[in-house]
Amino acid sequence: MKKFFLAASILSADFARLGEDTKNVIDSGSDLIHFDVMDNHYVPNLTMGPMILQSLRNYNITAPIDVHLMVKPVDNLIPQFAKAGATFITFHPEATDHIERTLTLIKEHGCKAGLAFNPTTPLNFLDYILEKLDLILLMSVNPGFGNQSFLRSTLKKLREVKKIIDTNFSDILLEVDGGIKLENIAEIALSGANVFVIGTGLFQHANYNLIIKKIRKELRDVYSKRIH
Ligand code: DX5
Ligand code: ZN
């Protein structure tokens, strides 16, 4: 099994040719498609709904799709995204009144469940629900837009979450989202992340294959250094 996973954030893709661009990043070596859902309420931007996800599945995108819900409320969208073909559904704890209920709803619809933490959201939301999670997402920018700078305070938080995961002998995926580039991915991996969301850092390059190769090389070098 791979130790590190790349999740291409199609927020930075060309929306006029979304199917083709999505297929290209998968064919170029991306493991997952990261699908950012924004509602102009929980975050000040508006993006894609379940119909677009369904269109990608109809276009023969078979890779896992990692849905990042930046919406409030959360629950009524879960059945729709599950039906459209989501693999992971991740939400922000502040956006739902009953975190456990929302996690259970995701599982009942056959998807993997994730919890997303904004840069200043405290980690105590993890208390009592760790065993229900498949993924923890740490935002390294404030949610709402692509192409922002990586907040370095995330590195400390990452180490804290990695410690929680390890002490509980858990295999929860630890994902980081925002401002990840070829230049900083090694440091982020060394701090404990194993799923890397990359939007601008991937789509701004003309040759996806080449940039993904370079990123994988950085990650291979980390793998030889990191103590597991
Ligand atoms: C921001 C989104 C991110 C975004 C990351 O709210 O959750 O997934 O696409 O984009 P980059 O990699 O450009 O920071
Ligand atoms: Zn995201």
Side-chain angles (χ1 to χ4, degrees), residues 61-100:
I61 303 293
T62 54
I65 298 186
D66 168 32
V67 174
H68 177 192
L69 293 180
M70 287 161 275
V71 302
K72 186 179 178 172
V74 180
D75 292 1
N76 53 347
L77 282 176
I78 289 170
Q80 296 185 56
F81 272 106
K83 190 161 174 267
T87 312
F88 290 87
I89 300 182
T90 297
F91 64 95
H92 288 252
E94 307 90 336
T96 187
D97 288 330
H98 307 285
I99 297 169
E100 199 279 338

Side-chain angles (χ1 to χ4, degrees), residues 7-12 34-38 43 45 68 70 92 137 139-150 176-181 197-202:
S9 173
I10 53 172
L11 186 65
S12 301
H34 185 81
F35 191 100
D36 285 310
V37 183
M38 305 185 187
V43 290
N45 201 353
H68 177 192
M70 287 161 275
H92 288 252
L137 184 159
M139 292 298 304
S140 37
V141 296
N142 289 298
F145 301 93
N147 202 19
Q148 303 181 74
S149 301
F150 180 84
V176 176
D177 184 7
I180 302 184
K181 303 271 184 307
V197 176
I198 313 185
T200 322
L202 171 56

Side-chain angles (χ1 to χ4, degrees), residues 26-42:
I26 292 296
D27 292 347
S28 302
S30 178
D31 302 296
L32 314 168
I33 292 300
H34 185 81
F35 191 100
D36 285 310
V37 183
M38 305 185 187
D39 67 348
N40 191 36
H41 172 67
Y42 181 67

